[in-house]
Amino acid sequence: MKRILIVGGVAGGASAAARARRLSETAEIVMFERGEFVSFANCGLPYHIGGDIQDRSALLLQTPQSFKRRFNVDVRVFHDVIDIDKVGKTLLVRNLLTGEERRESYDQLLLSPGAAPIRPPFPGIDSPGVHTLRNIADMDRILAALHRDDPHHVTVVGGGFIGLEMMEALHQHKRDVTLLELSDQVMAPVDREMANMLHARIREEGIDLRLRTGLASIEILDGQPEQTVSTGLRLILSDGTRLDTGLLILAIGVKPETRLAAQAGLELGPRGGIKVDASMCTSDPFIYAVGDAVEETDFVTGESVLIPLAGPANRQGRIAADNMLGRSETYKKTQGTAICKLFDLAVASTGLNEKRLLQLGLPFEKAYVHPGSHAGYYPGAHPVSLKLLFAPDGKIYGAQAIGKDGVDKRIDVLAVAQRAGLTVFDLQDLELTYAPPFGSAKDVINMAGFVASNHLKGDTLLCHTAEVQACHPHQQVLDVRNGPELDQLGRIPGALHIPLDELRGRLNELPREKELLISCQMGLRGHVACRLLSQHGFKVKNLSGGFKTWQMAVMA
Amino acid sequence: MKRILIVGGVAGGASAAARARRLSETAEIVMFERGEFVSFANCGLPYHIGGDIQDRSALLLQTPQSFKRRFNVDVRVFHDVIDIDKVGKTLLVRNLLTGEERRESYDQLLLSPGAAPIRPPFPGIDSPGVHTLRNIADMDRILAALHRDDPHHVTVVGGGFIGLEMMEALHQHKRDVTLLELSDQVMAPVDREMANMLHARIREEGIDLRLRTGLASIEILDGQPEQTVSTGLRLILSDGTRLDTGLLILAIGVKPETRLAAQAGLELGPRGGIKVDASMCTSDPFIYAVGDAVEETDFVTGESVLIPLAGPANRQGRIAADNMLGRSETYKKTQGTAICKLFDLAVASTGLNEKRLLQLGLPFEKAYVHPGSHAGYYPGAHPVSLKLLFAPDGKIYGAQAIGKDGVDKRIDVLAVAQRAGLTVFDLQDLELTYAPPFGSAKDVINMAGFVASNHLKGDTLLCHTAEVQACHPHQQVLDVRNGPELDQLGRIPGALHIPLDELRGRLNELPREKELLISCQMGLRGHVACRLLSQHGFKVKNLSGGFKTWQMAVMA
């Protein structure tokens, strides 16, 4: 009888335990979890804090008892695994309630320890009122602090997924919220100009978003005369300013829990996670590892990456169980497909972003479109702002989208297209569901395919904000929108203006010796203008995504 | 200077005209439209009738004037093309306002005449009060009739896209609505058991849905003593019953408008549409044709099919223009991806359905899943009922889905997967956007991939309602749901009942000599039970989609 031990009872570990039992009724399966709960909905924690998920028990998907009943898995909560003896194939396990320590032997071991919130050694980091959010206990502590201290001001550090979700949750509690982000943008998976839409939306809610601002140190306020909150913390920020706050959430990232693995001499990867092969096996053939603690292979570049997301963790758990029980399954690399709700917006991405492509020095092109989520004549359509990154041969590198509706759908379609090896040319031909309430006869994705293909085929070359901003003396920006649009929506400094529908009759007003950078509102009329002008002998480029993208890019 | 004439100014024709101009500033482009309007939103017509789209002018996407201004296209509305002289390369065109006829010469001709609503020669078919819906004028007539006659009862014949949309539109006018459908289901692209969910939803709204019931003849009611509506029609139905109604919408399908093409000796295809090659060229090298009038090639089977949908028409128009202007583009076949809103439900499909696979005699397998549209612990999730059809080697044949949320997204993903040649095994690995408001760590699509793959790999063989209903003496249905679920939701007659979590302890109650057909509510617990029992030596199959699918299939 095979004995399988599993360290960690959330996404990857619980998936593996259930799958292992489905493959073997005879294996002995024991799952150790340091905390009180297994298989809880960690992605739901911010939403319970914010009140969207009212019922705390909805987050507790399984209990040790239910796991035992259904899967005959021996679940030991409050059990901390403190050592692995690879040679003897045993674990040293401490019962956190009794302090008792025991050796447990295994035939195969699965590590799913997850990743821990980063707590940098700021002065004052261990003050009461400083929170991170990883599990049910953390969530309970934050809710208790909100209830007990009733802070009118709270601070979130870090503008990633958890930081933004916590910002929104605390805003829903009607607290004044400051969000600190050390870099120049929130939501690192998307590029800066896309994130600018998020910055505007965050500030529109009255949240005090401070970019390029980190935390330097934390002091406990204790009835000092200058304090502006009743009880709480004084934060010293990276720019030297002080910020008094009643509650601090640290959400600046996570780091893989590799202590056990490293101590046991398992190989770690270049990014500091546990190294595994495609079968999810570590450098020890009897030890597998999955989830946020392991390094994955980037789908596009083949590099080792840390991508702490639930989808990959679940799939890896299943695959590890398969392989522990004699099958031969491989994990198919990670695109990093992800999405985040931000008030009424969604922001999603898959694959590589522009920042990463620049770092890698890969030649790439990009296109922006802003079509409606469904037919404009049917009520309730909202623009989907989509950025597509691709290679000169049409290979899809990645995509990002922001909007109120249909963002998940478009990134899903592009994630599948990327995984299947489709090119931007293929996007033109995708046949997607269309009826006026759901889409358009030419969907957002088809439009992105048209724009990218037109560029690569040389039919309408694209330019971008940087080129417009740097506008060389041999170039001239031409805005082809209608007059009222310019007045209402704004204009690009220095642009000539001729509405598209008057263009054929006013060609003589255009400088023949210059390259024209054409701008409209979204990029569509600019394309028509480019085609028209290029056939009349002008040298032209179309500002991709038009004035709307320009505005996103130049936003403070 | 090349002269391009276009017959028909809606989806395909208008797309072609705009694209042709983008490719050539010098071509003379003339577009003839028999009706008053070009480039109107024909997919929006039912929604204006129903009141969702309040502003009629929102449907008029372009005017002859706007087309002239922007694209320098000479648009002639109220012009009917009555003859093609292939040899002389001319058209005979009649001005419907003046009666004047003129010959117009072309270098290249594009036919985009569309498809006309079928009006079978029922007695009384030409009575006032009998409507079809194809264009703005039809829409105006229906709205005028509703306003003028104020019928309290209206009848729609045909349960396809337009029939269902008109049924809902008239229901929104608070009329009593009867929907007649000659076959045993509405929405032919999906299979019967899926359509049964729609039937239930239609009846829930109080609509008088009559399946297997057609129209035999129509009489005008004119103050006869037995009439039950003030003014109107008496319908004689196929079952001999009479139905008095104030307004009749005929939506029993469309047939390609091929009169012009046939008269000119252009080749027609086996389904009665204009035959074109992949470049959209007809049997005459100077004549192209696109849209609802042409036969397309089915993506899966390669057969000629008639698929009157907006997406293909628009893409074909673009491709025809490319080829008329010297490019070499091909249309990439049609999957028939489509969606329809039905009250708060969406129903969508792509590829082949089971009925068609049976007709074709292709070996196929099927799987049903009903997961939530997003994480169950986040509010607002609704089940997505998805049926996946696939070949024994895993090739995707088609998919159908019904639900209140996220149906478009899942069918889009499967349409891309099918087009890209992915298999059901690949669906397991798709990395889709996940956060609790948008999806699940194991998305609907991943779940469908798991179920299909488990079946093909022999891990958990699926069975379906037909086998459960025919339950042979050597078989036994075993329901593994909990007791209260059976009481609340119903049970399969003759089923044994042991809850999943008690199964390991009660194996001795099961007949070892029989094959067990396992049922739970959705199919997930059934899978766990199958894995458990098969390892204990039982022969088992899992009822795919569980009791929920069974119930859909056996519904009247």
Side-chain angles (χ1 to χ4, degrees):
Chain A
M1 194 178 74
K2 180 173 276 195
R3 193 165 202 253
I4 295 174
L5 301 186
I6 296 175
V7 180
V10 196
S15 285
R19 175 68 174 173
R21 178 58 73 219
R22 291 200 299 272
L23 297 179
S24 168
E25 271 291 298
T26 56
E28 185 185 355
I29 306 171
V30 186
M31 188 160 79
F32 299 101
E33 167 57 44
R34 185 194 293 153
E36 182 180 357
F37 302 101
V38 289
S39 195
F40 62 90
N42 43 7
C43 303
L45 302 177
Y47 299 102
H48 179 60
I49 293 175
D52 302 292
I53 299 168
Q54 299 254 329
D55 180 8
R56 175 175 179 276
S57 69
L59 300 174
L60 307 173
L61 307 177
Q62 294 280 353
T63 64
Q65 295 71 34
S66 70
F67 237 90
K68 177 72 185 173
R69 275 199 306 272
R70 177 146 307 169
F71 296 109
N72 191 25
V73 169
D74 180 358
V75 178
R76 306 198 191 157
V77 294
F78 293 123
H79 276 66
D80 196 16
V81 176
I82 52 182
D83 187 55
I84 304 171
D85 172 6
K86 278 193 308 186
V87 180
K89 293 172 78 179
T90 63
L91 296 183
L92 184 62
V93 184
R94 180 182 296 145
N95 181 328
L96 296 175
L97 299 179
T98 64
E100 182 196 8
E101 291 184 5
R102 270 179 71 165
R103 284 258 157 217
E104 298 279 355
S105 67
Y106 63 82
D107 294 302
Q108 272 158 327
L109 173 63
L110 176 70
L111 301 178
S112 178
I118 295 172
R119 295 178 70 98
F122 298 129
I125 187 78
D126 293 321
S127 310
V130 178
H131 297 265
T132 54
L133 179 64
R134 182 188 189 182
N135 53 35
I136 298 276
D138 296 332
M139 175 186 81
D140 291 344
R141 270 191 293 271
I142 292 169
L143 279 170
L146 281 172
H147 186 71
R148 185 187 59 231
D149 303 338
D150 196 23
H152 68 79
H153 181 271
V154 297
T155 302
V156 177
V157 187
F161 293 92
I162 296 174
L164 290 179
E165 287 166 358
M166 281 307 301
M167 171 199 78
E168 186 170 342
L170 294 166
H171 180 71
Q172 289 180 192
H173 275 271
K174 312 228 180 287
R175 315 290 156 161
D176 291 340
V177 183
T178 293
L179 177 65
L180 303 176
E181 168 57 52
L182 193 55
S183 82
D184 62 356
Q185 66 161 94
V186 301
M187 193 48 59
V190 303
D191 291 311
R192 174 81 203 283
E193 75 283 12
M194 300 296 283
N196 279 342
M197 290 183 72
L198 307 178
H199 302 157
R201 187 72 192 81
I202 289 168
R203 290 181 169 134
E204 193 184 315
E205 289 289 325
I207 287 165
D208 171 32
L209 169 63
R210 306 197 194 179
L211 298 172
R212 303 175 202 84
T213 309
L215 187 60
S217 69
I218 304 166
E219 297 166 16
I220 299 182
L221 283 176
D222 194 16
Q224 293 164 36
E226 71 276 35
Q227 75 183 55
T228 58
V229 290
S230 56
T231 65
L233 304 165
R234 168 154 300 166
L235 311 181
I236 312 300
L237 308 187
S238 58
D239 59 5
T241 58
R242 297 187 307 184
L243 175 68
D244 290 353
T245 196
L247 184 76
L248 179 68
I249 308 284
L250 272 183
I252 56 178
V254 297
K255 62 165 185 256
E257 290 229 12
T258 55
R259 190 193 52 77
L260 254 191
Q263 200 173 285
L266 296 179
E267 204 175 327
L268 300 187
R271 318 273 295 184
I274 302 172
K275 186 170 177 178
V276 291
D277 62 18
S279 74
M280 306 313 299
C281 192
T282 67
S283 56
D284 181 299
F286 303 102
I287 307 180
Y288 290 74
V290 299
D292 296 356
V294 308
E295 292 195 3
E296 304 169 21
T297 305
D298 182 90
F299 182 81
V300 182
T301 65
E303 297 171 294
S304 272
V305 286
L306 292 170
I307 301 199
L309 290 171
N314 276 279
R315 274 190 290 285
Q316 290 164 6
R318 193 174 199 269
I319 287 164
D322 279 352
N323 292 320
M324 288 194 292
L325 287 158
R327 299 197 169 199
S328 180
E329 297 287 340
T330 56
Y331 179 69
K332 307 291 193 307
K333 304 181 183 172
T334 300
Q335 295 162 283
T337 310
I339 190 165
C340 185
K341 182 178 108 60
L342 184 81
F343 305 110
D344 52 355
L345 291 179
V347 47
S349 64
T350 191
L352 301 184
N353 58 28
E354 183 171 351
K355 292 174 288 192
R356 188 75 194 115
L357 285 164
L358 288 170
Q359 283 165 2
L360 292 166
L362 285 172
F364 71 93
E365 303 288 337
K366 57 182 176 175
Y368 300 86
V369 293
H370 307 277
S373 54
H374 61 246
Y377 56 81
Y378 188 90
H382 297 284
V384 176
S385 291
L386 187 133
K387 177 179 185 176
L388 183 64
L389 293 148
F390 50 100
D393 66 356
K395 177 182 172 174
I396 298 169
Y397 276 145
Q400 308 163 26
I402 297 180
K404 292 186 181 180
D405 181 42
V407 163
D408 52 342
K409 176 164 82 169
R410 271 58 180 223
I411 294 298
D412 280 0
V413 162
L414 288 170
V416 178
Q418 176 175 56
R419 187 163 278 270
L422 299 187
T423 66
V424 296
F425 304 108
D426 297 317
L427 299 181
Q428 303 175 97
D429 302 313
L430 293 183
E431 203 188 317
L432 305 168
T433 53
Y434 162 57
F438 303 102
S440 297
K442 291 167 185 155
D443 187 76
V444 179
I445 299 296
N446 302 129
M447 295 302 292
F450 289 142
V451 173
S453 302
N454 283 332
H455 175 66
L456 291 182
K457 287 191 279 190
D459 286 342
T460 287
L461 290 178
L462 299 175
C463 67
H464 300 288
T465 301
E467 189 169 353
V468 167
Q469 293 300 83
C471 193
H472 287 192
H474 68 277
Q475 293 177 318
Q476 171 62 51
V477 179
L478 170 65
D479 193 323
V480 298
R481 294 177 296 168
N482 297 322
E485 291 178 273
L486 275 71
D487 296 337
Q488 283 164 36
L489 301 167
R491 55 184 78 209
I492 296 175
L496 264 181
H497 173 228
I498 301 178
L500 172 57
D501 290 346
E502 299 174 17
L503 207 47
R504 276 190 193 86
R506 296 173 61 181
L507 295 177
N508 58 350
E509 297 176 34
L510 293 172
R512 286 229 162 243
E513 72 290 358
K514 291 195 177 186
E515 182 181 57
L516 300 172
L517 307 182
I518 311 294
S519 170
C520 66
Q521 184 59 27
M522 307 286 208
L524 190 55
R525 282 173 291 172
H527 167 54
V528 175
C530 280
R531 294 298 310 155
L532 190 169
L533 291 169
S534 70
Q535 293 180 65
H536 286 285
F538 291 90
K539 204 179 159 207
V540 289
K541 284 181 186 162
N542 188 26
L543 175 60
S544 187
F547 183 78
K548 182 160 180 173
T549 301
W550 180 86
Q551 214 171 19
M552 284 159 54
V554 302
M555 246 179 219
Chain B
M1 193 177 73
K2 182 174 274 197
R3 191 164 204 252
I4 294 175
L5 301 187
I6 298 175
V7 180
V10 195
S15 284
R19 175 68 174 172
R21 178 59 72 219
R22 293 199 298 273
L23 296 180
S24 168
E25 271 292 297
T26 56
E28 184 186 353
I29 306 172
V30 186
M31 188 159 79
F32 300 101
E33 167 57 44
R34 187 193 292 151
E36 181 181 356
F37 302 101
V38 288
S39 195
F40 62 91
N42 45 4
C43 303
L45 303 177
Y47 299 102
H48 179 60
I49 294 175
D52 302 292
I53 300 169
Q54 299 254 329
D55 180 8
R56 176 176 177 275
S57 69
L59 299 174
L60 306 175
L61 307 178
Q62 294 280 353
T63 64
Q65 294 72 33
S66 71
F67 237 91
K68 177 71 186 176
R69 274 199 305 271
R70 179 148 308 170
F71 295 110
N72 191 24
V73 169
D74 180 358
V75 179
R76 307 198 192 157
V77 293
F78 292 124
H79 275 68
D80 195 15
V81 176
I82 53 182
D83 187 52
I84 303 171
D85 172 5
K86 278 193 310 186
V87 179
K89 294 172 78 178
T90 62
L91 296 183
L92 183 62
V93 184
R94 180 182 296 147
N95 180 329
L96 295 175
L97 299 180
T98 64
E100 183 195 6
E101 290 186 3
R102 271 178 71 163
R103 283 260 157 215
E104 299 278 356
S105 68
Y106 64 80
D107 294 302
Q108 273 160 324
L109 173 64
L110 177 70
L111 300 177
S112 178
I118 295 172
R119 295 178 71 97
F122 297 131
I125 188 77
D126 293 320
S127 309
V130 178
H131 296 265
T132 54
L133 179 64
R134 184 190 187 180
N135 54 35
I136 299 277
D138 296 333
M139 176 186 81
D140 290 343
R141 271 190 293 270
I142 292 169
L143 279 169
L146 280 171
H147 185 71
R148 184 187 59 230
D149 303 339
D150 196 23
H152 69 78
H153 181 273
V154 296
T155 302
V156 177
V157 187
F161 293 92
I162 296 174
L164 290 178
E165 287 166 357
M166 281 307 303
M167 172 199 77
E168 187 170 342
L170 295 166
H171 181 72
Q172 289 180 189
H173 276 271
K174 311 231 182 285
R175 315 289 155 162
D176 291 341
V177 182
T178 293
L179 177 65
L180 304 176
E181 168 57 52
L182 193 55
S183 82
D184 62 356
Q185 66 161 93
V186 302
M187 193 49 58
V190 303
D191 291 312
R192 175 77 204 283
E193 75 283 12
M194 300 296 283
N196 279 341
M197 291 182 73
L198 307 178
H199 302 157
R201 187 70 192 83
I202 289 168
R203 291 184 168 128
E204 194 183 317
E205 290 289 324
I207 287 163
D208 172 31
L209 169 63
R210 305 195 195 179
L211 298 171
R212 302 175 204 83
T213 309
L215 187 59
S217 68
I218 303 166
E219 297 165 17
I220 301 181
L221 282 174
D222 194 16
Q224 292 162 39
E226 71 275 34
Q227 74 184 57
T228 58
V229 288
S230 57
T231 65
L233 304 165
R234 169 155 300 163
L235 311 180
I236 312 300
L237 308 186
S238 58
D239 59 4
T241 58
R242 297 188 306 186
L243 176 67
D244 291 350
T245 196
L247 183 77
L248 178 68
I249 308 284
L250 272 183
I252 55 179
V254 297
K255 62 164 187 259
E257 289 226 12
T258 54
R259 190 193 52 76
L260 254 190
Q263 201 173 285
L266 296 179
E267 206 175 327
L268 301 187
R271 317 272 297 184
I274 302 172
K275 187 170 174 178
V276 290
D277 62 18
S279 73
M280 305 313 297
C281 191
T282 67
S283 55
D284 181 300
F286 303 101
I287 307 179
Y288 289 74
V290 299
D292 296 359
V294 307
E295 292 195 2
E296 305 169 20
T297 305
D298 183 90
F299 182 81
V300 182
T301 65
E303 295 173 294
S304 273
V305 286
L306 291 170
I307 300 198
L309 290 172
N314 277 280
R315 275 191 289 286
Q316 291 164 7
R318 193 174 199 272
I319 286 164
D322 280 351
N323 292 318
M324 287 195 293
L325 287 158
R327 300 196 167 202
S328 181
E329 298 287 338
T330 56
Y331 179 70
K332 305 293 192 306
K333 303 180 184 173
T334 301
Q335 295 163 284
T337 310
I339 190 165
C340 186
K341 182 178 108 62
L342 184 80
F343 305 109
D344 53 355
L345 291 179
V347 48
S349 64
T350 191
L352 301 183
N353 59 29
E354 183 171 353
K355 291 173 289 192
R356 188 76 194 115
L357 286 163
L358 289 169
Q359 282 166 3
L360 292 166
L362 285 171
F364 70 94
E365 302 289 338
K366 58 182 176 176
Y368 300 86
V369 294
H370 308 277
S373 54
H374 61 245
Y377 55 80
Y378 188 90
H382 296 283
V384 176
S385 291
L386 186 133
K387 177 179 184 177
L388 182 65
L389 294 149
F390 49 101
D393 66 357
K395 175 182 172 176
I396 298 169
Y397 277 145
Q400 308 163 26
I402 297 179
K404 291 185 183 180
D405 181 41
V407 163
D408 52 342
K409 175 163 83 168
R410 272 58 182 223
I411 293 298
D412 279 359
V413 163
L414 288 170
V416 179
Q418 177 175 54
R419 187 163 279 269
L422 300 186
T423 66
V424 298
F425 303 108
D426 297 317
L427 299 182
Q428 303 175 99
D429 302 313
L430 293 183
E431 204 187 318
L432 304 169
T433 53
Y434 162 57
F438 302 101
S440 297
K442 290 168 185 155
D443 186 77
V444 178
I445 299 295
N446 301 129
M447 295 302 292
F450 290 142
V451 173
S453 303
N454 282 333
H455 175 66
L456 292 182
K457 288 191 279 189
D459 285 342
T460 287
L461 291 177
L462 300 174
C463 67
H464 301 286
T465 301
E467 189 168 355
V468 167
Q469 292 300 84
C471 193
H472 288 192
H474 69 275
Q475 293 176 317
Q476 172 62 51
V477 179
L478 170 65
D479 193 324
V480 298
R481 293 176 296 169
N482 297 322
E485 292 178 274
L486 277 71
D487 295 339
Q488 283 164 35
L489 302 166
R491 55 184 78 209
I492 297 173
L496 265 181
H497 174 227
I498 301 177
L500 172 58
D501 290 347
E502 298 174 18
L503 207 48
R504 275 187 195 86
R506 297 172 63 183
L507 296 176
N508 58 350
E509 298 176 33
L510 293 171
R512 287 229 162 244
E513 73 289 0
K514 291 195 178 185
E515 181 181 58
L516 299 173
L517 307 181
I518 309 296
S519 171
C520 66
Q521 185 58 27
M522 308 285 209
L524 190 56
R525 283 173 291 172
H527 167 54
V528 175
C530 280
R531 294 299 310 155
L532 190 169
L533 291 168
S534 69
Q535 293 180 64
H536 286 286
F538 290 90
K539 203 179 158 208
V540 289
K541 284 183 188 159
N542 188 25
L543 175 60
S544 186
F547 183 77
K548 182 160 180 174
T549 301
W550 180 85
Q551 216 171 16
M552 284 160 53
V554 302
M555 244 180 220

